Amino acid sequence: MTFDPAALRFGANGLLPAIAQDATTGEVLMLAWMNADAVARTLETGRVTYWSRSRQAFWVKGETSGNLQHLVEMRLDCDRDALLVLVRQDGPACHTGRRSCFYTAIRDAEEVEIMQPEA
Amino acid sequence: MTFDPAALRFGANGLLPAIAQDATTGEVLMLAWMNADAVARTLETGRVTYWSRSRQAFWVKGETSGNLQHLVEMRLDCDRDALLVLVRQDGPACHTGRRSCFYTAIRDAEEVEIMQPEA
């Protein structure tokens, strides 16, 4: 079946969540949002492109920082309302300089930082 | 810092996306939604509990099917608006019987099923 970005199930805001996962290590790097055009641009360009909810604009990940996400494979889930994007990540994925945005764990009811910014 | 579920940043619907990842293999199993109470219940019970948008009710994953998700660790992202839940998954995570809900890949503009239901 030919894939049509418009046939995904977007939320009321026209967006769905996209999980970026390191294609090699399996590490979950971040979660951001895509609309149908961002999905299409990601597939066309091979550069993972989100929709920035704060800026209300397309967001080519790493376009400013240089920390690009190169698309390896896009997958959709059974409900067609979430995406898993396997990537090759240049540099850190998180704007804090950490490899992943998920660097805070909850352990014994405390927030614990489990990852340092890369040098 | 003590963790307070209410200090997460929920969307307008009071929900945020939670990614379930196999704690051992790193496989991303599914994405579902939690409100503050679902986060608290997950941490208290050790059974991953979502908020079902279709049923508008708490959803203890696997309560009906037996395919429970046992909490290994919960992590939050830099924006505090997404969760990564490391789990030990009993049986398949997907209601279709597949290990993961992300069993459809987009390859050469076609949807390709890359995973079969478990026996």
Side-chain angles (χ1 to χ4, degrees):
Chain A
M1 185 165 107
T2 302
F3 173 69
D4 177 4
L8 294 168
R9 289 173 57 200
F10 296 93
N13 54 7
L15 303 175
L16 52 64
I19 305 158
Q21 182 180 30
D22 186 303
T24 304
T25 65
E27 186 173 16
V28 173
L29 300 172
M30 57 182 282
L31 181 146
W33 301 83
M34 291 188 184
N35 58 18
D37 280 348
V39 172
R41 289 180 183 216
T42 297
L43 291 169
E44 283 162 21
T45 64
R47 292 185 174 190
V48 181
T49 302
Y50 302 101
W51 179 259
S52 167
R53 296 181 299 174
S54 54
R55 292 187 288 110
Q56 289 287 303
F58 289 107
W59 166 31
V60 180
K61 173 69 184 165
E63 198 174 43
T64 307
S65 64
N67 298 327
L68 290 167
Q69 283 181 343
H70 306 275
L71 179 67
V72 175
E73 183 163 277
M74 188 181 285
R75 298 181 186 164
L76 49 129
D77 77 349
C78 50
D79 291 331
R80 310 181 71 83
D81 61 3
L83 296 173
L84 177 64
V85 186
L86 304 180
V87 304
R88 182 167 55 78
Q89 172 73 50
D90 290 345
C94 185
H95 74 287
T96 65
R98 293 173 178 84
R99 180 74 187 157
S100 164
C101 294
F102 293 96
Y103 58 81
T104 305
I106 303 162
R107 295 179 179 170
D108 297 328
E110 295 289 321
E111 294 189 14
V112 180
E113 218 175 286
I114 58 172
M115 206 178 300
Q116 297 304 313
E118 298 186 344
Chain B
M1 186 166 106
T2 302
F3 173 70
D4 177 4
L8 293 168
R9 289 173 56 199
F10 297 94
N13 55 7
L15 303 175
L16 51 64
I19 304 157
Q21 183 181 31
D22 187 303
T24 304
T25 65
E27 186 174 15
V28 173
L29 301 172
M30 57 182 283
L31 181 146
W33 302 82
M34 291 188 185
N35 58 17
D37 279 349
V39 173
R41 288 180 183 216
T42 297
L43 291 168
E44 283 163 20
T45 64
R47 293 184 174 190
V48 181
T49 302
Y50 301 101
W51 179 258
S52 167
R53 296 180 299 173
S54 54
R55 291 188 289 110
Q56 290 287 303
F58 289 107
W59 167 30
V60 180
K61 172 70 184 165
E63 198 175 42
T64 306
S65 64
N67 298 328
L68 291 166
Q69 283 181 343
H70 306 275
L71 178 67
V72 175
E73 183 163 277
M74 187 182 285
R75 297 180 186 164
L76 49 129
D77 77 350
C78 51
D79 291 332
R80 309 182 71 84
D81 61 3
L83 296 173
L84 177 63
V85 186
L86 304 180
V87 306
R88 182 166 56 77
Q89 171 74 49
D90 290 345
C94 186
H95 74 287
T96 66
R98 292 172 177 84
R99 180 73 188 159
S100 163
C101 294
F102 292 96
Y103 57 81
T104 306
I106 303 161
R107 294 178 179 171
D108 298 326
E110 295 289 321
E111 295 189 15
V112 180
E113 217 175 286
I114 58 171
M115 206 178 300
Q116 298 305 312
E118 299 187 343

